[in-house]
Amino acid sequence: MNAKAILKYARITPRKARRVTDLIKGKKAKEAAVLLSFMPYRGAAMVAKLLKSAMANAGQKNVADPDELNVSLAYVDQGPTMKRIMPRAMGRANVIKKRTSHITVVLSD
C-alpha cells in the first residue's frame, strides 16, 4: 500500500528541487528525514516537510508504521513559469522567469 504527498506550485526551480529528491529515493523514511535535516539546500526544507506529510498520511490511512516505510518515488515536475519584465537601458527589457515546481513523494512498504 502507498502513502503519497504532493506539493504544487513550490517557488523553487525544478532543477534545484531534483538535486534534493534524487538523494532520498530508495531510503527509509526516517533515514531520509534525518538526511534532509542536515542538507544545506533550500529545497531540502520543502521536501522534508513534504516527507513528514507523507508519513502522516501513511499513519492516517493505516498503511504501515510510518517509520518503516521506504521512499519508493520522489520526483519533481515543472509547474507554470511566472514571467516578469525588468527594464534595461535604451528602452529595452529583459524577461525574468520565476519557475515553479510540483514535488511528489510516495512511500511504500
Side-chain angles (χ1 to χ4, degrees), residues 59-98:
Q60 287 290 321
K61 289 171 54 176
N62 293 325
V63 174
D65 183 27
D67 297 332
E68 299 301 318
L69 294 173
N70 292 326
V71 180
S72 60
L73 283 174
Y75 59 90
V76 180
D77 294 325
Q78 186 169 346
T81 302
M82 296 185 287
K83 295 178 181 82
R84 302 291 180 258
I85 295 174
M86 183 177 206
R88 305 304 292 179
M90 295 196 281
R92 295 184 177 94
N94 282 354
V95 176
I96 297 173
K97 296 178 180 173
K98 296 181 179 272

Side-chain angles (χ1 to χ4, degrees), residues 20-22 24-25 47 71-76 103-106:
V20 175
T21 56
D22 289 343
I24 64 165
K25 286 181 192 172
V47 175
V71 180
S72 60
L73 283 174
Y75 59 90
V76 180
I103 307 170
T104 305
V105 174
V106 179

Side-chain angles (χ1 to χ4, degrees), residues 23-58:
L23 294 174
I24 64 165
K25 286 181 192 172
K27 296 201 176 357
K28 292 262 188 208
K30 194 77 164 177
E31 179 185 341
V34 171
L35 190 66
L36 287 169
S37 67
F38 289 105
M39 278 189 198
Y41 308 123
R42 184 173 71 108
M46 293 180 189
V47 175
K49 190 172 179 180
L50 191 64
L51 179 66
K52 287 179 185 173
S53 176
M55 291 169 70
N57 291 345

